PDB file of all heavy atoms in Angstrom:
ATOM      1  N   MET A   1       0.826  -1.214   0.000  1.00  0.00           N
ATOM      2  CA  MET A   1       0.000   0.000   0.000  1.00  0.00           C
ATOM      3  C   MET A   1       0.858   1.262   0.000  1.00  0.00           C
ATOM      4  O   MET A   1       0.544   2.226  -0.704  1.00  0.00           O
ATOM      5  CB  MET A   1      -0.941  -0.011   1.206  1.00  0.00           C
ATOM      6  CG  MET A   1      -2.086  -0.978   1.046  1.00  0.00           C
ATOM      7  SD  MET A   1      -3.330  -0.822   2.328  1.00  0.00           S
ATOM      8  CE  MET A   1      -2.549  -1.685   3.672  1.00  0.00           C
ATOM      9  N   VAL A   2       1.944   1.254   0.758  1.00  0.00           N
ATOM     10  CA  VAL A   2       2.837   2.426   0.780  1.00  0.00           C
ATOM     11  C   VAL A   2       3.481   2.614  -0.589  1.00  0.00           C
ATOM     12  O   VAL A   2       3.536   3.733  -1.115  1.00  0.00           O
ATOM     13  CB  VAL A   2       3.902   2.266   1.883  1.00  0.00           C
ATOM     14  CG1 VAL A   2       4.992   3.307   1.751  1.00  0.00           C
ATOM     15  CG2 VAL A   2       3.259   2.332   3.256  1.00  0.00           C
ATOM     16  N   PHE A   3       3.958   1.517  -1.165  1.00  0.00           N
ATOM     17  CA  PHE A   3       4.593   1.586  -2.476  1.00  0.00           C
ATOM     18  C   PHE A   3       3.602   2.038  -3.542  1.00  0.00           C
ATOM     19  O   PHE A   3       3.925   2.847  -4.417  1.00  0.00           O
ATOM     20  CB  PHE A   3       5.192   0.221  -2.815  1.00  0.00           C
ATOM     21  CG  PHE A   3       6.152   0.246  -3.956  1.00  0.00           C
ATOM     22  CD1 PHE A   3       7.326   0.979  -3.899  1.00  0.00           C
ATOM     23  CD2 PHE A   3       5.885  -0.473  -5.107  1.00  0.00           C
ATOM     24  CE1 PHE A   3       8.213   0.999  -4.955  1.00  0.00           C
ATOM     25  CE2 PHE A   3       6.761  -0.459  -6.171  1.00  0.00           C
ATOM     26  CZ  PHE A   3       7.932   0.274  -6.093  1.00  0.00           C
ATOM     27  N   ALA A   4       2.372   1.542  -3.461  1.00  0.00           N
ATOM     28  CA  ALA A   4       1.338   1.946  -4.417  1.00  0.00           C
ATOM     29  C   ALA A   4       1.003   3.424  -4.268  1.00  0.00           C
ATOM     30  O   ALA A   4       0.846   4.134  -5.263  1.00  0.00           O
ATOM     31  CB  ALA A   4       0.084   1.101  -4.218  1.00  0.00           C
ATOM     32  N   ALA A   5       0.900   3.892  -3.029  1.00  0.00           N
ATOM     33  CA  ALA A   5       0.595   5.313  -2.811  1.00  0.00           C
ATOM     34  C   ALA A   5       1.712   6.204  -3.344  1.00  0.00           C
ATOM     35  O   ALA A   5       1.441   7.244  -3.956  1.00  0.00           O
ATOM     36  CB  ALA A   5       0.362   5.570  -1.327  1.00  0.00           C
ATOM     37  N   LEU A   6       2.953   5.809  -3.140  1.00  0.00           N
ATOM     38  CA  LEU A   6       4.073   6.596  -3.658  1.00  0.00           C
ATOM     39  C   LEU A   6       4.088   6.598  -5.189  1.00  0.00           C
ATOM     40  O   LEU A   6       4.288   7.655  -5.808  1.00  0.00           O
ATOM     41  CB  LEU A   6       5.390   6.042  -3.130  1.00  0.00           C
ATOM     42  CG  LEU A   6       5.703   6.349  -1.670  1.00  0.00           C
ATOM     43  CD1 LEU A   6       6.967   5.624  -1.227  1.00  0.00           C
ATOM     44  CD2 LEU A   6       5.855   7.840  -1.457  1.00  0.00           C
ATOM     45  N   ALA A   7       3.873   5.439  -5.790  1.00  0.00           N
ATOM     46  CA  ALA A   7       3.872   5.368  -7.262  1.00  0.00           C
ATOM     47  C   ALA A   7       2.721   6.180  -7.849  1.00  0.00           C
ATOM     48  O   ALA A   7       2.894   6.888  -8.844  1.00  0.00           O
ATOM     49  CB  ALA A   7       3.777   3.910  -7.713  1.00  0.00           C
ATOM     50  N   GLY A   8       1.549   6.116  -7.239  1.00  0.00           N
ATOM     51  CA  GLY A   8       0.414   6.897  -7.721  1.00  0.00           C
ATOM     52  C   GLY A   8       0.643   8.386  -7.575  1.00  0.00           C
ATOM     53  O   GLY A   8       0.306   9.171  -8.461  1.00  0.00           O
ATOM     54  N   ALA A   9       1.234   8.792  -6.445  1.00  0.00           N
ATOM     55  CA  ALA A   9       1.512  10.217  -6.223  1.00  0.00           C
ATOM     56  C   ALA A   9       2.545  10.730  -7.218  1.00  0.00           C
ATOM     57  O   ALA A   9       2.409  11.842  -7.751  1.00  0.00           O
ATOM     58  CB  ALA A   9       1.987  10.439  -4.795  1.00  0.00           C
ATOM     59  N   ILE A  10       3.561   9.926  -7.490  1.00  0.00           N
ATOM     60  CA  ILE A  10       4.580  10.341  -8.460  1.00  0.00           C
ATOM     61  C   ILE A  10       3.962  10.471  -9.851  1.00  0.00           C
ATOM     62  O   ILE A  10       4.203  11.453 -10.554  1.00  0.00           O
ATOM     63  CB  ILE A  10       5.764   9.352  -8.453  1.00  0.00           C
ATOM     64  CG1 ILE A  10       6.567   9.529  -7.165  1.00  0.00           C
ATOM     65  CG2 ILE A  10       6.655   9.557  -9.672  1.00  0.00           C
ATOM     66  CD1 ILE A  10       7.609   8.464  -6.937  1.00  0.00           C
ATOM     67  N   ALA A  11       3.151   9.497 -10.241  1.00  0.00           N
ATOM     68  CA  ALA A  11       2.517   9.563 -11.559  1.00  0.00           C
ATOM     69  C   ALA A  11       1.521  10.714 -11.639  1.00  0.00           C
ATOM     70  O   ALA A  11       1.364  11.342 -12.686  1.00  0.00           O
ATOM     71  CB  ALA A  11       1.813   8.242 -11.873  1.00  0.00           C
ATOM     72  N   PHE A  12       0.842  10.996 -10.536  1.00  0.00           N
ATOM     73  CA  PHE A  12      -0.140  12.081 -10.511  1.00  0.00           C
ATOM     74  C   PHE A  12       0.537  13.448 -10.605  1.00  0.00           C
ATOM     75  O   PHE A  12       0.010  14.366 -11.224  1.00  0.00           O
ATOM     76  CB  PHE A  12      -0.970  11.993  -9.236  1.00  0.00           C
ATOM     77  CG  PHE A  12      -2.105  12.964  -9.177  1.00  0.00           C
ATOM     78  CD1 PHE A  12      -3.244  12.771  -9.934  1.00  0.00           C
ATOM     79  CD2 PHE A  12      -2.043  14.085  -8.360  1.00  0.00           C
ATOM     80  CE1 PHE A  12      -4.295  13.662  -9.891  1.00  0.00           C
ATOM     81  CE2 PHE A  12      -3.084  14.982  -8.302  1.00  0.00           C
ATOM     82  CZ  PHE A  12      -4.212  14.772  -9.070  1.00  0.00           C
ATOM     83  N   LEU A  13       1.714  13.600  -9.995  1.00  0.00           N
ATOM     84  CA  LEU A  13       2.393  14.895  -9.953  1.00  0.00           C
ATOM     85  C   LEU A  13       3.421  15.084 -11.069  1.00  0.00           C
ATOM     86  O   LEU A  13       3.704  16.225 -11.448  1.00  0.00           O
ATOM     87  CB  LEU A  13       3.079  15.078  -8.600  1.00  0.00           C
ATOM     88  CG  LEU A  13       2.152  15.103  -7.392  1.00  0.00           C
ATOM     89  CD1 LEU A  13       2.957  15.124  -6.113  1.00  0.00           C
ATOM     90  CD2 LEU A  13       1.216  16.285  -7.463  1.00  0.00           C
ATOM     91  N   ALA A  14       3.982  14.000 -11.591  1.00  0.00           N
ATOM     92  CA  ALA A  14       5.054  14.121 -12.578  1.00  0.00           C
ATOM     93  C   ALA A  14       4.573  14.693 -13.903  1.00  0.00           C
ATOM     94  O   ALA A  14       5.243  15.543 -14.493  1.00  0.00           O
ATOM     95  CB  ALA A  14       5.719  12.770 -12.805  1.00  0.00           C
ATOM     96  N   GLY A  15       3.426  14.253 -14.377  1.00  0.00           N
ATOM     97  CA  GLY A  15       2.920  14.735 -15.664  1.00  0.00           C
ATOM     98  C   GLY A  15       2.644  16.227 -15.674  1.00  0.00           C
ATOM     99  O   GLY A  15       3.161  16.942 -16.545  1.00  0.00           O
ATOM    100  N   PRO A  16       1.848  16.733 -14.728  1.00  0.00           N
ATOM    101  CA  PRO A  16       1.615  18.182 -14.705  1.00  0.00           C
ATOM    102  C   PRO A  16       2.889  18.995 -14.480  1.00  0.00           C
ATOM    103  O   PRO A  16       3.053  20.065 -15.065  1.00  0.00           O
ATOM    104  CB  PRO A  16       0.641  18.366 -13.546  1.00  0.00           C
ATOM    105  CG  PRO A  16      -0.065  17.065 -13.441  1.00  0.00           C
ATOM    106  CD  PRO A  16       0.946  16.032 -13.823  1.00  0.00           C
ATOM    107  N   LEU A  17       3.806  18.477 -13.666  1.00  0.00           N
ATOM    108  CA  LEU A  17       5.052  19.199 -13.433  1.00  0.00           C
ATOM    109  C   LEU A  17       5.886  19.253 -14.708  1.00  0.00           C
ATOM    110  O   LEU A  17       6.404  20.319 -15.068  1.00  0.00           O
ATOM    111  CB  LEU A  17       5.840  18.534 -12.300  1.00  0.00           C
ATOM    112  CG  LEU A  17       7.149  19.205 -11.932  1.00  0.00           C
ATOM    113  CD1 LEU A  17       6.871  20.589 -11.344  1.00  0.00           C
ATOM    114  CD2 LEU A  17       7.924  18.358 -10.956  1.00  0.00           C
ATOM    115  N   LEU A  18       6.014  18.130 -15.396  1.00  0.00           N
ATOM    116  CA  LEU A  18       6.728  18.126 -16.669  1.00  0.00           C
ATOM    117  C   LEU A  18       6.044  19.022 -17.688  1.00  0.00           C
ATOM    118  O   LEU A  18       6.695  19.757 -18.417  1.00  0.00           O
ATOM    119  CB  LEU A  18       6.805  16.703 -17.222  1.00  0.00           C
ATOM    120  CG  LEU A  18       7.932  15.829 -16.716  1.00  0.00           C
ATOM    121  CD1 LEU A  18       7.767  14.413 -17.222  1.00  0.00           C
ATOM    122  CD2 LEU A  18       9.262  16.388 -17.148  1.00  0.00           C
ATOM    123  N   PHE A  19       4.715  18.944 -17.744  1.00  0.00           N
ATOM    124  CA  PHE A  19       3.977  19.737 -18.716  1.00  0.00           C
ATOM    125  C   PHE A  19       4.163  21.228 -18.465  1.00  0.00           C
ATOM    126  O   PHE A  19       4.261  22.020 -19.402  1.00  0.00           O
ATOM    127  CB  PHE A  19       2.491  19.374 -18.663  1.00  0.00           C
ATOM    128  CG  PHE A  19       1.712  19.942 -19.791  1.00  0.00           C
ATOM    129  CD1 PHE A  19       1.624  19.276 -20.995  1.00  0.00           C
ATOM    130  CD2 PHE A  19       1.070  21.161 -19.673  1.00  0.00           C
ATOM    131  CE1 PHE A  19       0.914  19.794 -22.056  1.00  0.00           C
ATOM    132  CE2 PHE A  19       0.355  21.698 -20.720  1.00  0.00           C
ATOM    133  CZ  PHE A  19       0.277  21.005 -21.916  1.00  0.00           C
ATOM    134  N   ALA A  20       4.223  21.625 -17.212  1.00  0.00           N
ATOM    135  CA  ALA A  20       4.367  23.046 -16.885  1.00  0.00           C
ATOM    136  C   ALA A  20       5.779  23.555 -17.133  1.00  0.00           C
ATOM    137  O   ALA A  20       5.961  24.745 -17.380  1.00  0.00           O
ATOM    138  CB  ALA A  20       3.977  23.288 -15.430  1.00  0.00           C
ATOM    139  N   THR A  21       6.773  22.679 -17.079  1.00  0.00           N
ATOM    140  CA  THR A  21       8.152  23.152 -17.222  1.00  0.00           C
ATOM    141  C   THR A  21       8.698  23.012 -18.639  1.00  0.00           C
ATOM    142  O   THR A  21       9.581  23.762 -19.016  1.00  0.00           O
ATOM    143  CB  THR A  21       9.079  22.392 -16.259  1.00  0.00           C
ATOM    144  OG1 THR A  21       8.968  20.991 -16.496  1.00  0.00           O
ATOM    145  CG2 THR A  21       8.731  22.700 -14.819  1.00  0.00           C
ATOM    146  N   VAL A  22       8.189  22.082 -19.412  1.00  0.00           N
ATOM    147  CA  VAL A  22       8.702  21.858 -20.768  1.00  0.00           C
ATOM    148  C   VAL A  22       8.043  22.841 -21.725  1.00  0.00           C
ATOM    149  O   VAL A  22       6.848  23.077 -21.659  1.00  0.00           O
ATOM    150  CB  VAL A  22       8.423  20.397 -21.197  1.00  0.00           C
ATOM    151  CG1 VAL A  22       8.740  20.194 -22.654  1.00  0.00           C
ATOM    152  CG2 VAL A  22       9.213  19.453 -20.342  1.00  0.00           C
ATOM    153  N   ARG A  23       8.833  23.407 -22.615  1.00  0.00           N
ATOM    154  CA  ARG A  23       8.318  24.390 -23.566  1.00  0.00           C
ATOM    155  C   ARG A  23       7.998  23.800 -24.935  1.00  0.00           C
ATOM    156  O   ARG A  23       7.289  24.407 -25.711  1.00  0.00           O
ATOM    157  CB  ARG A  23       9.340  25.517 -23.760  1.00  0.00           C
ATOM    158  CG  ARG A  23       9.553  26.354 -22.543  1.00  0.00           C
ATOM    159  CD  ARG A  23       8.358  27.180 -22.304  1.00  0.00           C
ATOM    160  NE  ARG A  23       8.603  28.168 -21.261  1.00  0.00           N
ATOM    161  CZ  ARG A  23       7.772  29.110 -20.972  1.00  0.00           C
ATOM    162  NH1 ARG A  23       6.659  29.228 -21.632  1.00  0.00           N
ATOM    163  NH2 ARG A  23       8.042  29.948 -20.023  1.00  0.00           N
ATOM    164  N   SER A  24       8.524  22.637 -25.250  1.00  0.00           N
ATOM    165  CA  SER A  24       8.335  22.053 -26.572  1.00  0.00           C
ATOM    166  C   SER A  24       6.891  21.604 -26.768  1.00  0.00           C
ATOM    167  O   SER A  24       6.383  20.793 -25.997  1.00  0.00           O
ATOM    168  CB  SER A  24       9.272  20.854 -26.737  1.00  0.00           C
ATOM    169  OG  SER A  24       8.936  20.118 -27.883  1.00  0.00           O
ATOM    170  N   PRO A  25       6.205  22.100 -27.803  1.00  0.00           N
ATOM    171  CA  PRO A  25       4.827  21.681 -28.041  1.00  0.00           C
ATOM    172  C   PRO A  25       4.704  20.184 -28.355  1.00  0.00           C
ATOM    173  O   PRO A  25       3.722  19.555 -28.000  1.00  0.00           O
ATOM    174  CB  PRO A  25       4.365  22.515 -29.227  1.00  0.00           C
ATOM    175  CG  PRO A  25       5.368  23.583 -29.406  1.00  0.00           C
ATOM    176  CD  PRO A  25       6.620  23.148 -28.737  1.00  0.00           C
ATOM    177  N   GLU A  26       5.725  19.632 -29.019  1.00  0.00           N
ATOM    178  CA  GLU A  26       5.685  18.209 -29.332  1.00  0.00           C
ATOM    179  C   GLU A  26       5.754  17.367 -28.061  1.00  0.00           C
ATOM    180  O   GLU A  26       5.018  16.391 -27.914  1.00  0.00           O
ATOM    181  CB  GLU A  26       6.845  17.826 -30.268  1.00  0.00           C
ATOM    182  CG  GLU A  26       6.756  18.453 -31.642  1.00  0.00           C
ATOM    183  CD  GLU A  26       7.335  19.869 -31.694  1.00  0.00           C
ATOM    184  OE1 GLU A  26       7.996  20.295 -30.723  1.00  0.00           O
ATOM    185  OE2 GLU A  26       7.110  20.539 -32.702  1.00  0.00           O
TER     186      GLU A  26
END
């Protein structure tokens, strides 16, 4: 459960963080 919560939180936060910092439209 701890490992699942960490993996879900990383996946939930990584995409928006990458999307907000990357400038390439592709």
Side-chain angles (χ1 to χ4, degrees):
M1 286 189 281
V2 169
F3 194 62
L6 285 174
I10 288 170
F12 186 74
L13 297 173
L17 181 66
L18 276 173
F19 191 86
T21 56
V22 171
R23 293 289 189 172
S24 169
E26 294 84 11

